[in-house]
Amino acid sequence: IDPPRSNVFPSMKPIFIFLFLSVALAVPAQWTQRASGTTQSLQAVQFPDSTTGFAVGYYGTVIRSVDAGLSWTVLSFPNTGDLRSVYFHDALHGFVTGDSGLYRTGDGGGSWSTVATPVSGPWRCVTFTTPLVGFCAGGDFAAGVLLRTDDGGATWAAVDVGQVNPFSKVFFPNAEVGYALFYGYEWSVLKTTD
């Protein structure tokens, strides 16, 4: 006569099945390093569509990809100031910001022009909520500055934000609601609804 089998861990079977399936079906993130064409530190990247992308960095570095990031080409830029932010509406029309100002292109980065602003930078961030409404943020020392455009970046006006530290990043999910980070001795998050 065989002794009765003991089912010591009957409640463990579902846990073992779950763990086995979790490990067997897990798909790790696949990151592949690509040559950027530059040795400069890159600070921001943006893809306005699935194939065209731009990145900016130190010493006026601008690079572009037209094959979904598989390869990158270094573009000419009019000065060597550090660039901090990039925003393109499409593959041709975009803006970059940095220590030396705000710049725009209408030919995919083939040429750049300085954008007049009511106050000088340095600028840390540029973003748009629509093709017409955009924001540029930055400032120096204890003087944070936020600019707004309602005409696609042709003209910019200063937004009264009170006395704040320089902005490092802004995000506007729409033209009225915005969030900002500023740097200094106290890192903070600001929010506006108007």
Side-chain angles (χ1 to χ4, degrees), residues 161-173:
V161 292
Q163 183 69 26
V164 297
N165 283 336
F167 292 103
S168 60
K169 185 75 174 167
V170 292
F171 172 71
F172 283 80

Side-chain angles (χ1 to χ4, degrees), residues 15-35:
I15 293 173
F16 287 128
I17 291 172
F18 172 76
L19 289 174
F20 174 77
L21 289 175
S22 296
V23 170
L25 299 177
V27 178
Q30 299 294 319
W31 292 91
T32 304
Q33 186 171 348
R34 300 288 179 193

Side-chain angles (χ1 to χ4, degrees), residues 18-110:
F18 172 76
L19 289 174
F20 174 77
L21 289 175
S22 296
V23 170
L25 299 177
V27 178
Q30 299 294 319
W31 292 91
T32 304
Q33 186 171 348
R34 300 288 179 193
S36 67
T38 183
T39 58
Q40 300 305 325
S41 175
L42 298 171
Q43 300 295 301
V45 64
Q46 193 230 354
F47 277 76
D49 61 45
S50 62
T51 58
T52 307
F54 298 87
V56 298
Y58 289 169
Y59 301 105
T61 301
V62 180
I63 61 174
R64 176 180 61 205
S65 174
V66 294
D67 58 7
L70 295 176
S71 63
W72 295 85
T73 303
V74 176
L75 302 178
S76 178
F77 195 73
N79 72 51
T80 58
D82 293 345
L83 298 174
R84 310 287 182 178
S85 181
V86 57
Y87 185 89
F88 272 74
H89 298 295
D90 55 43
L92 297 176
H93 303 92
F95 295 83
V96 298
T97 61
D99 294 345
S100 58
L102 173 63
Y103 299 84
R104 76 181 305 159
T105 183
D107 60 6

Side-chain angles (χ1 to χ4, degrees), residues 112-135:
W112 296 91
S113 59
T114 304
V115 177
T117 57
V119 292
S120 61
W123 302 111
R124 301 285 184 236
C125 180
V126 62
T127 187
F128 281 75
T129 60
T130 71
L132 295 177
V133 178
F135 299 88

Side-chain angles (χ1 to χ4, degrees), residues 143-162:
V145 179
L146 179 65
L147 304 178
R148 178 181 171 134
T149 182
D150 291 307
D151 58 12
T155 61
W156 295 81
V159 176
D160 184 9
V161 292

